[in-house]
Amino acid sequence: MAPALTPAQAATIKATVPVLAQYGEIITTKFYADLLASNPSLKNIFNTTHQATGHQPRALAGALYAYAANIDNLGALSPAVELICHKHASLYIQPHHYEIVGTNLLATIKAVLGDAATPDIMDAWAAAYWQLADLMIAREAQLYAEAPNWTDWKDFRIARKERESDEITSFYFEPVEEGFEVPVYRPGQYISVNVFVDELDGGVWQARQYSLSDAPGKGYLRISVKKEGGVDLGDAAASKAHAGYISNILHEKKEVGDVVRLSHPYGDFFYEKEEADEESPVVLVSAGVGITPLMSILSHLTANEPKRPITWIHAARNAQVRAFKPHIDGLAAANKNLKTVLFTADPSDDEVQGEHYDVKGRLDLEKLGKERLYAGHDKTQYYTCGPTQFMLDVEAKLNSFGVPSERIKMELFGTGGIPRV
């Protein structure tokens, strides 16, 4: 464990905020390029798409800026740190990775800033880096300790592969290891799926996170994956630059009986029953493939908490791409506590309002009003998942109805965090 950051060093870090605003992305872009060139094995960990598009350098630059700006109030970063630690755990990041990253990051800061990176500044950043690294290593150790029987990638076999819509297919995974029991995860969490990509740099492993889309405790793990259009699996460039490349491998190349490597379930977005509270409402709001973690929560709630009022709200382009509708209709018919509202942005000519969808147009909570959203109930829990701007719009509308942000939980796919600045 590194020595504690001194007040003088914290002041030095704070003073570098303008420098990070100007040079942050230059530093992180060079950092990743140099890191992967000198440590090619790390290509098996880092998302090549995020590297090719510049998404990961931008995210790290933003994280460094936020860390420096809040160096004297790290509590403000706790949600972001928790999100990152779960992501790291799902990739099986280890303490020695922090050594490699720290050495390279500090070297890059020095190389980019040159003489401006004085010994005092470099000492302060070294102390600041290890302050954060020690915190994250400790949290990740706790997460690993919670999964003692699953401490590395584990082989699972695809037991079923079911089409849910024109874009989404569900994959049911069962453990290859005889006698291994699938853990009971928290509804809403995700797993990492690790596949080998021949087309990349002579062949590398690539991991992607997919939400578990069924209730826990069923003896299998299910994910429901959207296939992105316009991906050519034979195009080596697409393997680096297209965000849907791995999902296309799953759809097109992985069949029943095939074995893939999975991580233990992780994720800081999940439903958690509040103590001594069995009747407060839950509102689930999703768009597109954001439906997947909320399906896990919905299936869990309807099976285990029949007294709890549930409102299910989903937005899709049309009936062809809306997944799980027959299953959701069945749940609504069997559970009087469940009310559903389906928005369809662009219904096809053969779609009937009241049968295939409820409201035409993009999702607009104003059309539902406070009462149907249980906005007047001071214990209502809200969960939302979809594109980032969609989630922020949902939060803003609920805020306008008097719902505080602490009762609104949002899921985020990819690198980074929900922007609030």
Side-chain angles (χ1 to χ4, degrees):
M1 181 174 291
L5 190 71
T6 68
Q9 287 173 329
T12 298
I13 295 297
K14 195 87 170 179
T16 64
V17 169
V19 176
L20 290 174
Q22 183 176 357
Y23 294 102
E25 197 168 331
I26 297 172
I27 291 170
T28 56
T29 299
K30 177 175 171 53
F31 157 72
Y32 278 117
D34 293 349
L35 175 72
L36 295 176
S38 59
N39 300 273
S41 65
L42 294 182
K43 294 178 183 179
N44 293 300
I45 294 177
F46 286 105
N47 184 316
T48 58
T49 298
H50 287 162
Q51 294 296 322
T53 61
H55 183 77
Q56 196 143 22
R58 285 193 299 273
L60 179 57
L64 290 174
Y65 180 90
Y67 182 46
N70 290 277
I71 197 69
D72 50 2
N73 181 29
L74 293 182
L77 300 178
S78 294
V81 170
E82 182 70 1
L83 182 151
I84 293 169
C85 287
H86 277 268
K87 177 80 172 285
H88 283 181
S90 81
L91 296 171
Y92 295 105
I93 300 298
Q94 299 298 323
H96 72 271
H97 293 127
Y98 283 91
E99 292 272 2
I100 297 170
V101 167
T103 298
N104 282 268
L105 181 59
L106 293 170
T108 305
I109 292 173
K110 177 62 178 173
V112 172
L113 298 185
D115 292 342
T118 65
D120 285 347
I121 287 176
M122 295 309 301
D123 287 347
W125 266 105
Y129 173 82
W130 279 109
Q131 173 180 268
L132 182 60
D134 285 343
L135 185 155
M136 296 176 74
I137 289 169
R139 177 61 182 130
E140 288 154 24
Q142 291 176 336
L143 293 172
Y144 293 140
E146 293 169 7
N149 298 320
W150 193 342
T151 57
D152 203 345
W153 298 106
K154 188 172 287 290
D155 287 343
F156 276 70
R157 184 174 290 106
I158 300 174
R160 290 158 59 192
K161 185 176 177 180
E162 295 185 353
R163 188 170 180 265
E164 307 289 359
S165 74
D166 284 359
E167 297 178 337
I168 296 175
T169 292
S170 287
F171 296 80
Y172 292 75
F173 297 108
E174 295 179 351
V176 170
E177 180 183 332
E178 187 175 349
F180 179 79
E181 293 188 6
V182 175
V184 177
Y185 52 88
R186 291 168 169 147
Q189 290 190 305
Y190 58 77
I191 55 173
S192 286
V193 177
N194 201 16
V195 300
F196 193 75
V197 184
D198 297 292
E199 296 84 356
L200 276 173
D201 297 317
V204 296
W205 290 95
Q206 284 289 281
R208 298 292 186 272
Q209 290 70 47
Y210 296 104
S211 295
L212 292 157
S213 60
D214 206 348
K218 295 193 173 183
Y220 57 76
L221 297 172
R222 185 182 80 175
I223 61 173
S224 302
V225 180
K226 179 184 177 183
K227 179 183 178 183
E228 299 289 347
V231 180
D232 179 3
L233 292 182
D235 180 2
S239 65
K240 290 186 177 181
H242 201 291
Y245 193 82
I246 301 302
S247 69
N248 273 260
I249 289 178
L250 291 174
H251 275 260
E252 295 185 19
K253 291 190 174 183
K254 299 300 180 183
E255 302 296 343
V256 172
D258 288 347
V259 174
V260 298
R261 306 198 305 180
L262 305 183
S263 76
H264 187 280
Y266 287 106
D268 64 336
F269 175 86
F270 53 82
Y271 169 77
E272 192 166 40
K273 181 179 178 181
E274 296 184 3
E275 292 296 324
D277 180 15
E278 297 183 355
E279 300 185 13
S280 294
V282 173
V283 177
L284 307 172
V285 188
S286 61
V289 74
I291 194 173
T292 54
L294 302 193
M295 278 300 303
S296 178
I297 295 174
L298 177 65
S299 297
H300 169 80
L301 287 172
T302 53
N304 295 283
E305 301 189 36
K307 295 181 180 180
R308 192 178 296 280
I310 307 165
T311 296
W312 171 270
I313 304 167
H314 182 253
R317 295 196 311 276
N318 53 49
Q320 289 69 46
V321 299
R322 190 190 304 278
F324 302 111
K325 187 175 187 301
H327 180 66
I328 293 167
D329 288 345
L331 290 177
N335 295 271
K336 293 182 179 179
N337 59 318
L338 171 61
K339 307 299 180 186
T340 66
V341 184
L342 305 180
F343 285 79
T344 295
D346 186 22
S348 56
D349 293 340
D350 58 350
E351 290 183 58
V352 178
Q353 191 168 9
E355 179 182 347
H356 298 99
Y357 65 94
D358 301 299
V359 184
K360 181 179 179 179
R362 299 173 66 84
L363 184 137
D364 183 359
L365 297 183
E366 193 73 48
K367 294 180 178 180
L368 302 183
K370 296 182 181 181
E371 186 174 343
R372 294 177 74 181
L373 294 168
Y374 299 103
H377 195 296
D378 63 5
K379 290 188 177 181
T380 303
Q381 298 179 58
Y382 299 86
Y383 296 83
T384 181
C385 185
T388 299
Q389 192 57 53
F390 168 87
M391 292 187 286
L392 295 173
D393 289 345
V394 167
E395 181 188 41
K397 180 55 66 175
L398 291 173
N399 288 161
S400 75
F401 289 159
V403 178
S405 291
E406 55 264 27
R407 286 200 278 117
I408 306 168
K409 296 185 180 180
M410 295 185 279
E411 171 65 302
L412 181 75
F413 295 103
T415 301
I418 295 289
R420 296 185 181 280
V421 206

